Amino acid sequence: MLKARQRLGKYQIEAPLGEGGFATVYRALDTIEGIKVALKVPHPELSSKKFYDEFLREVRLSAGLDHPGILPIKNASIIDDRFVVAYPLGQATLGDRLQRRVAPKTALSYAEQILEAVAYAHRHKVVHCDLKPDNFIMFPGNRVRLTDFGIAKLALRRATLSGSGTGSVGFLAPEQAFGRPTYASDVFALGLLCYRLFAGQLPTWPYEWPPPGYDRLKRAVHPDLIAIIYRATDLDHKKRYQDANRMLAAFRRVEPRALRGLGTKRRRRGSVPKPVGHWRTLRLKEFNLGLGRALQAKHQCGRCRGPMSESMRSCPWCGNERKRHTGRSPFPARCPRCRRGVKLDWRFCPWCYGGVIQEPSAREYTDVRYEGKCRSTRCSRKDLMPFMRYCPWCRTKVARKWKLPQGGTPCTKCGWGVAADYWSACPWCGTGMRST
């Protein structure tokens, strides 16, 4: 154990924060930057090349994951023959926070943040393998960040990974205990975490349903959320959600009604309910300031109230299909079928195949939103706007894979751009988000 006021390079040790099987975490002062940090220092007896390579792998794995819900590494170096990793200093662990009562709305916010962080790791083919409350660090504003990828496994191109049965007792999936962890093993731990958040107790082996605390769970949350937890904690990994992205998509579909009594009060006509939880507010604000503005996401989903743009066919937040547009449109006319906006000189609706514009204008209008061309040789005009499905001049289906204004990830089904860090479904084809 390092002592208080002991120096490691620019870091001055203040006090130990916790100790694990491989390392001790200390609160320390960065004497150069003048800020408090958390230092992870391996035990001296684990100074062999094997354990050095393990810690080096953890650092490189964590450094490749850039997400608000994953604890970033500030610095990693060898100081006085010790491998030292510095992280931002949080307020406590989620395990510490769960020693006190957690309000249902706060628990819902924690659950969403936890699911988003693990879903992001799964999209980058990383299975954490040790999800538990002590590996989530609390920050101001009820922010939660995932850490400790020490025994995480890179999935590479295989669905099943080889392991050694490592993990934490109480959150270990049956197949992981036998050294065969999968994405679904993390889902099992996520289900237990969600149960602990809402029921106040942790299910134990043999995980017979209903577990202890079930009466409190029924009083707190909607049966649809209980069904998600039930499926996530199935002993048969094939019956669970196959990764955290699919569990997150299911969670977001029921989130608006997840809590008992939530949304039962009558609201004034035209009023918009506030998003549940501080984290969701921050996430929507971040989206609206960036992609939301670029995509002209000025409309709201009728189910979850998430921001959408006129051209989207499904809600990217909850997956709700949206065949007809019900909001305003910046275009001067409407398609008679899908009610999305059209220009006066278009002959066909570019958003749905059935819309035919009656008596289109003979005048041709220019528009700064045109940024593509129809590939049909028989097309008279060829101009296309982003996310058009059909050419408005010749009705040919657009073959171009549209990208988001700020990049994004291609959908695994349609190939169009999706904001994987925000959305749970592809707004262009409705496919639930998977590992990409």
Side-chain angles (χ1 to χ4, degrees):
M1 294 285 289
L2 299 176
K3 298 180 180 180
R5 297 188 179 182
Q6 184 174 343
R7 293 289 291 266
L8 278 179
K10 67 174 182 175
Y11 302 109
Q12 181 174 304
I13 303 297
E14 293 188 346
L17 294 175
E19 184 176 358
F22 300 98
T24 303
V25 180
Y26 300 89
R27 185 180 71 243
L29 172 67
D30 185 326
T31 58
I32 301 298
E33 299 184 28
I35 60 174
K36 302 292 180 68
V37 297
L39 285 188
K40 186 174 184 179
V41 183
H43 300 321
E45 62 270 19
L46 303 179
S47 57
S48 66
K49 185 179 185 303
K50 174 186 175 182
F51 286 102
Y52 170 80
D53 291 341
E54 287 293 316
F55 282 104
L56 185 63
R57 186 179 64 86
E58 177 185 352
V59 168
R60 290 175 176 174
L61 192 63
S62 301
L65 300 175
D66 183 11
H67 187 271
I70 294 178
L71 191 67
I73 291 177
K74 289 181 62 64
N75 185 31
S77 57
I78 299 176
I79 305 174
D80 298 338
D81 295 326
R82 295 176 182 266
F83 194 84
V84 179
V85 186
Y87 298 91
L89 181 65
Q91 297 174 315
T93 68
L94 180 60
D96 296 329
R97 176 64 182 88
L98 292 179
Q99 300 304 311
R100 309 189 308 276
R101 183 181 179 276
V102 179
K105 286 188 177 181
T106 304
L108 193 69
S109 174
Y110 290 164
E112 183 176 24
Q113 294 180 62
I114 289 170
L115 285 168
E116 285 183 338
V118 181
Y120 177 85
H122 284 189
R123 288 197 297 274
H124 288 74
K125 305 192 183 305
V126 175
V127 185
H128 190 280
C129 295
D130 195 19
L131 297 175
K132 58 182 179 180
D134 287 343
N135 282 339
F136 289 91
I137 310 300
M138 303 297 304
F139 285 84
N142 276 335
R143 296 284 298 277
V144 182
R145 286 179 163 182
L146 173 62
T147 186
D148 198 356
F149 286 82
I151 59 174
K153 307 292 182 181
L154 277 174
L156 301 178
R157 297 182 179 178
R158 296 188 298 171
T160 303
L161 313 176
S162 59
S164 56
T166 52
S168 294
V169 176
F171 294 89
L172 204 63
E175 71 280 359
Q176 186 176 345
F178 288 99
R180 296 189 297 272
T182 68
Y183 293 117
S185 304
D186 278 354
V187 169
F188 185 82
L190 288 172
L192 295 179
L193 278 167
C194 288
Y195 192 96
R196 174 65 181 87
L197 284 170
F198 295 108
Q201 291 181 253
L202 182 66
T204 56
W205 180 263
Y207 303 111
E208 295 178 351
W209 198 267
Y214 184 70
D215 290 339
R216 177 178 171 181
L217 182 71
K218 287 196 301 182
R219 292 193 300 268
V221 303
H222 193 277
D224 289 348
L225 182 55
I226 296 178
I228 291 175
I229 297 173
Y230 178 80
R231 179 178 174 183
T233 54
D234 197 299
L235 293 180
D236 185 351
H237 68 92
K238 295 181 180 179
K239 296 181 180 179
R240 297 179 216 141
Y241 299 100
Q242 292 306 295
D243 59 38
N245 289 281
R246 302 186 195 189
M247 185 176 177
L248 176 61
F251 175 86
R252 284 179 173 159
R253 284 194 292 269
V254 306
E255 185 179 10
R257 61 183 184 279
L259 302 182
R260 288 287 193 181
L262 184 66
T264 57
K265 296 182 180 179
R266 297 187 65 181
R267 299 189 299 269
R268 291 179 299 173
R269 181 174 295 180
S271 66
V272 178
K274 294 182 179 180
V276 178
H278 181 68
W279 168 247
R280 188 179 180 194
T281 302
L282 291 174
R283 180 167 57 87
L284 290 177
K285 182 178 180 181
E286 182 181 358
F287 172 81
N288 285 327
L289 290 175
L291 270 175
R293 183 175 297 175
L295 288 172
Q296 295 294 301
K298 300 179 179 180
H299 310 283
Q300 291 182 326
C301 171
R303 176 193 288 176
C304 72
R305 316 297 289 179
M308 299 178 62
S309 61
E310 183 177 357
S311 58
M312 292 178 178
R313 294 181 62 181
S314 299
C315 173
W317 308 95
C318 68
N320 186 40
E321 190 176 7
R322 183 171 168 270
K323 294 181 179 180
R324 291 171 64 88
H325 178 62
T326 56
R328 296 181 179 181
S329 175
F331 294 96
R334 297 265 189 167
C335 167
R337 182 187 187 188
C338 69
R339 301 301 299 166
R340 288 175 173 80
V342 295
K343 290 175 68 68
L344 296 177
D345 56 339
W346 291 350
R347 296 183 58 206
F348 306 100
C349 173
W351 320 114
C352 71
Y353 189 74
V356 180
I357 311 304
Q358 300 296 326
E359 299 181 2
S361 173
R363 177 182 174 185
E364 292 185 355
Y365 296 92
T366 59
D367 198 303
V368 295
R369 289 170 289 187
Y370 289 132
E371 63 174 56
K373 292 292 183 180
C374 176
R375 295 183 179 181
S376 176
T377 56
R378 57 185 176 84
C379 185
S380 59
R381 179 74 179 268
K382 295 185 180 295
D383 291 322
L384 300 176
M385 291 182 184
F387 305 110
M388 282 184 169
R389 295 181 173 276
Y390 305 94
C391 174
W393 318 104
C394 68
R395 213 181 191 184
T396 301
K397 188 173 183 179
V398 176
R400 179 171 179 170
K401 307 297 183 184
W402 294 106
K403 297 180 180 180
L404 297 182
Q406 299 177 10
T409 305
C411 171
T412 55
K413 183 176 181 180
C414 68
W416 289 21
V418 292
D421 290 344
Y422 297 101
W423 297 340
S424 60
C426 174
W428 321 115
C429 69
T431 303
M433 299 293 292
R434 301 183 180 183
S435 298
T436 56

